[in-house]
Amino acid sequence: MEPDMVVEMLKGLDDKDIVISQVVGDDDSTVFDRAKVLMPNSSMVKISDKNHIKHNIIKKVNDLKSKHRELSGMVAESIVKNVSYVLEQNIGNPEGIEKGFHATVNHMYGDHQYCTENWCGYLKNKQNYVHSILPYGKDLSSASLKSDLENLFIRQMVPQSDKLSKLGSSQANESVNNMIALKAPKTKHFSSSSSLNYRVSSAVLQKNEGYHYISERSKKKAKTQSKEWKKKRIFLKKKRAKRSVLSETKEGTTYQSSIGFQIDQKKDDIENIPDMPDDSDQVVTTDAPLVVFDLETTGLSRYSDITQIAACNVDRIFSRYIFPYQPISAEASRITGLTVVGNKRCITMVHWFLTNYPMRD
C-alpha cells in the first residue's frame, strides 16, 4: 500500500509540472523504479535516508554479537557512534568516508595509520592514551571479530562511499506523520469520518505554525505546570499503583508489564472455566450434615500454600496442619499464629487452644 501511495503522490506532482530533483527514502528501490516507469522524462535521482542507513548498520552489528564474545554492548555502541561521526563529518566527501571506515575498524585494534589528529587521542598523546569508549580502555584483540568488521565496513560499505556521502533525511516527513497519527490514530477508523479533514489540517497547521494556531494551547500548558495539577497527577499515580498492588495480591503477578514473556511463569497460570454442571439428575436432600470449614494460608496470593485446614459440624471437630513450601508472610503469621523456624513448624499456644477447644454459644 505504501509504495503505491508514494508513486501516486510523485505522479500527481509531476502532472502539475512540479520538478522533482531528489527522492529520499530507504534502500528499497520499488517506489523509485515504479515512479520512473510512470515518469520517463523526469530527472529525479534516488537518495538514501541516513536514518535508515544507521538503523541498518546497528542491525548488522548486533547480528554479530552471537558470534563474538568480545563484541559487548559497549563495543557495539562505540562502533555505531564512530560510524555516525564518519557519515556526519564527510557529507559530499567519498574519500573521507572510505578513510573513516578504515579508521573505525583499525583504531579499535591499535592501528592508527588511518586516524587523523583532530579526533584520535592516540596521535595527540601516545604515551598516556587509553580508549574512552572501549572496555578497560584497551584495544580489541579478536581476529575473527576484526575480519567480520572489515567485511562489513571495508568490503561492503567502502565501495558505496559515493552514495553514502550524499545521504538525505526524511525526518521532516516522519515528524508530520507522527503529528497526524496523534490526531488521527491508525487504531481508530477516522478515514470515513467527517472529522478526518480537520484532524489532518490541524496537523499541517501545527507543523507550519507551531502550537500558536490553537489559542487554548498556552492556557493548557500553563495549567499543566501549576502546583495543583502536579499534585493531582502524583495522587492519581499513587492511586493506580495501589490498585495494581491490590490486584497482584489477589491474583498474583498478572498485571506486570510483559509478564507473558517471562521464562519462569507457571504453565498452569491460565485455567479454563468449567461448564455449568447439569443438575437435572441431582437429588436434593436435607439429611446431609452441615460442615463448616476454614483454611489458613501463607498469604493472599494465588500461589500461597495451605498451612491448616479445619472443619466442624454439630458434634465433630477436624484439624490438620500442613508444612508449607512457600514463606509465610508476616501479616499471615500474625493472624494465624503459625510460623516456620528452620525445618520446624511452630504455633502459638493461644491459636492451638482456640483450634482444639473452640468457643461455643
Side-chain angles (χ1 to χ4, degrees):
M1 181 185 295
E2 184 177 350
D4 291 337
M5 293 172 61
V6 176
V7 171
E8 182 180 348
M9 181 179 64
L10 294 175
K11 185 65 170 62
L13 294 175
D14 186 69
D15 292 341
K16 296 179 181 179
D17 296 328
I18 297 176
V19 179
I20 305 173
S21 59
Q22 297 177 348
V23 177
V24 180
D26 56 19
D27 286 335
D28 180 13
S29 59
T30 304
V31 173
F32 186 76
D33 291 343
R34 289 185 182 179
K36 289 293 288 185
V37 171
L38 295 177
M39 299 177 289
N41 298 325
S42 176
S43 59
M44 62 181 178
V45 294
K46 183 178 181 297
I47 302 218
S48 298
D49 177 44
K50 61 181 179 182
N51 290 324
H52 284 89
I53 293 292
K54 182 178 179 181
H55 292 156
N56 187 33
I57 292 173
I58 292 174
K59 181 181 182 301
K60 290 185 176 182
V61 171
N62 288 333
D63 289 343
L64 297 176
K65 285 184 178 180
S66 59
K67 294 176 56 179
H68 305 285
R69 184 176 181 181
E70 193 174 31
L71 186 56
S72 62
M74 183 179 183
V75 175
E77 183 179 353
S78 65
I79 293 173
V80 173
K81 185 181 296 186
N82 290 340
V83 172
S84 299
Y85 290 156
V86 171
L87 296 177
E88 291 291 340
Q89 296 173 2
N90 292 281
I91 299 176
N93 183 12
E95 294 182 0
I97 288 182
E98 293 181 12
K99 189 175 182 180
F101 280 146
H102 281 90
T104 296
V105 177
N106 290 279
H107 172 80
M108 294 186 294
Y109 281 86
D111 183 358
H112 304 280
Q113 60 175 318
Y114 296 98
C115 299
T116 56
E117 193 171 344
N118 63 338
W119 62 267
C120 179
Y122 174 81
L123 298 181
K124 297 177 182 178
N125 187 357
K126 298 182 180 181
Q127 300 297 327
N128 302 317
Y129 175 72
V130 292
H131 292 283
S132 60
I133 56 177
L134 291 181
Y136 308 106
K138 297 182 179 180
D139 297 333
L140 299 181
S141 58
S142 173
S144 59
L145 174 59
K146 184 178 181 181
S147 176
D148 283 344
L149 292 177
E150 288 177 342
N151 179 62
L152 173 60
F153 293 110
I154 298 177
R155 297 185 184 89
Q156 295 184 24
M157 304 198 74
V158 164
Q160 305 182 57
S161 58
D162 184 64
K163 183 181 77 171
L164 294 174
S165 66
K166 302 173 183 178
L167 297 179
S169 176
S170 61
Q171 190 64 38
N173 293 347
E174 297 292 345
S175 176
V176 174
N177 183 51
N178 289 335
M179 291 179 184
I180 297 176
L182 288 174
K183 299 181 184 341
K186 296 180 180 178
T187 55
K188 300 186 182 299
H189 183 61
F190 287 114
S191 59
S192 60
S193 167
S194 59
S195 68
L196 180 64
N197 289 336
Y198 296 101
R199 293 174 181 274
V200 175
S201 298
S202 64
V204 174
L205 287 171
Q206 179 181 337
K207 177 64 178 178
N208 294 336
E209 305 294 337
Y211 282 112
H212 300 293
Y213 76 99
I214 301 179
S215 60
E216 296 295 325
R217 179 66 188 181
S218 58
K219 296 181 181 179
K220 183 178 180 180
K221 184 176 180 180
K223 184 178 179 181
T224 57
Q225 297 299 321
S226 65
K227 184 181 296 184
E228 292 76 13
W229 182 277
K230 292 181 178 179
K231 288 173 65 176
K232 182 180 179 181
R233 185 173 58 192
I234 294 174
F235 170 77
L236 293 176
K237 183 178 180 180
K238 290 182 179 180
K239 188 176 180 180
R240 289 193 299 269
K242 184 178 180 180
R243 191 185 305 121
S244 178
V245 170
L246 291 175
S247 301
E248 290 179 0
T249 302
K250 291 179 181 178
E251 303 186 17
T253 314
T254 59
Y255 290 81
Q256 181 177 325
S257 177
S258 303
I259 186 67
F261 295 98
Q262 294 184 9
I263 298 176
D264 58 350
Q265 186 186 20
K266 295 194 174 182
K267 299 293 185 182
D268 57 349
D269 189 24
I270 301 176
E271 300 176 358
N272 293 326
I273 300 176
D275 297 331
M276 289 292 294
D278 184 8
D279 56 358
S280 59
D281 298 332
Q282 294 183 1
V283 179
V284 179
T285 177
T286 58
D287 298 333
L290 177 64
V291 178
V292 179
F293 73 94
D294 186 27
L295 298 176
E296 301 294 350
T297 62
T298 57
L300 296 178
S301 169
R302 65 187 299 181
Y303 303 123
S304 298
D305 286 352
I306 297 174
T307 57
Q308 182 190 11
I309 179 171
C312 68
N313 59 7
V314 293
D315 56 358
R316 297 185 63 185
I317 297 176
F318 170 83
S319 178
R320 288 291 184 274
Y321 293 97
I322 304 171
F323 192 87
Y325 291 97
Q326 300 283 346
I328 303 176
S329 65
E331 185 67 16
S333 180
R334 184 182 66 80
I335 295 175
T336 63
L338 299 175
T339 187
V340 174
V341 179
N343 294 326
K344 296 182 179 181
R345 182 176 57 248
C346 302
I347 181 173
T348 62
M349 292 301 296
V350 174
H351 181 79
W352 179 86
F353 182 82
L354 292 176
T355 301
N356 291 276
Y357 301 95
M359 298 177 66
R360 298 176 181 274
D361 293 336

